[in-house]
Amino acid sequence: MSDSQWVSSSMPYLTPNSAGAADAWSAETAALGRRGTQRIVHAGEVPAPPVVAGLLGVPEGEMVVVRRRLMLLDGLPNELTDTYYPAAIARGTPLAGTAKIRGGAVTLLAELGYAGATVREDVTARMPDEEEKEALRTAPDEPVLQLTRLTLDRRERPVQVDVMTMPAHRQRLHYVMTIG
């Protein structure tokens, strides 16, 4: 694997950790001798886009909370991540703000009674729009991977939707699954 490629596993981003611990992105990159940082570019309520509304089980356009982040690897754009929450869960919590959340959003969700139990991920490849090309510094003909993740709690209630957009040539997604 070259230094320009990033291998990502979903599991560290699904498990609560102790409040005050490094966020999963910083910890994962540091363990590999890299530097992962993130910039929250927006947080607050927005109308649910069609795909997000369908996954969260709310009407299209209903208000949901989003945290939009630019993930940087060694100072370079590596991923755009939009994380959506039902407003009933996130309104008035740190999830709706731009401040760093101690222990990360997954830890806060667990503390609020919404620990993830089931995750569904879909990965597609597509061409980026102009805003994505600019933010990720991709070439005009360079495709992106889009990973859409739905997290459900033990009662099968949708608690979080992540939409991650990554330059395809700089990514490798890695999955380890336990059977049985």
Side-chain angles (χ1 to χ4, degrees):
M1 176 186 78
S2 72
D3 276 352
S4 63
Q5 187 181 52
W6 178 250
V7 178
S8 182
S9 175
S10 295
M11 193 54 71
Y13 303 93
L14 305 173
T15 310
N17 62 34
S18 60
D23 64 86
W25 174 241
S26 297
E28 183 181 22
T29 56
L32 297 169
R34 312 282 299 266
R35 187 171 153 263
T37 57
Q38 57 183 293
R39 204 175 311 147
I40 299 173
V41 295
H42 175 79
E45 293 191 31
V46 297
V51 170
V52 171
L55 292 170
L56 289 177
V58 301
E60 185 178 330
E62 180 172 305
M63 296 306 280
V64 295
V65 171
V66 66
R67 285 175 67 90
R68 291 196 166 116
R69 294 166 292 158
L70 172 62
M71 313 303 284
L72 302 161
L73 180 61
D74 299 328
L76 298 174
N78 192 64
E79 180 179 304
L80 299 171
T81 300
D82 289 354
T83 302
Y84 296 88
Y85 307 94
I89 292 174
R91 183 179 284 139
T93 73
L95 295 169
T98 57
K100 190 168 183 166
I101 298 172
R102 287 173 29 99
V106 172
T107 301
L108 177 59
L109 279 173
E111 291 170 359
L112 295 171
Y114 300 100
T118 303
V119 172
R120 298 179 187 144
E121 292 186 347
D122 288 297
V123 180
T124 57
R126 62 176 176 77
M127 296 307 292
D129 63 28
E130 291 303 316
E131 186 178 323
E132 292 166 332
K133 280 184 207 175
E134 185 177 325
L136 294 170
R137 299 183 196 164
T138 59
D141 61 345
E142 185 180 338
V144 293
L145 295 178
Q146 181 173 298
L147 187 152
T148 303
R149 175 186 300 144
L150 169 64
T151 304
L152 303 159
D153 70 6
R154 294 201 186 291
R155 294 166 65 188
E156 292 292 309
R157 294 178 298 191
V159 297
Q160 178 174 317
V161 170
D162 298 290
V163 180
M164 296 160 267
T165 305
M166 307 159 264
H169 82 286
R170 291 186 245 156
Q171 301 293 325
R172 188 179 105 202
L173 304 176
H174 175 73
Y175 294 89
V176 176
M177 298 174 204
T178 302
I179 301 172

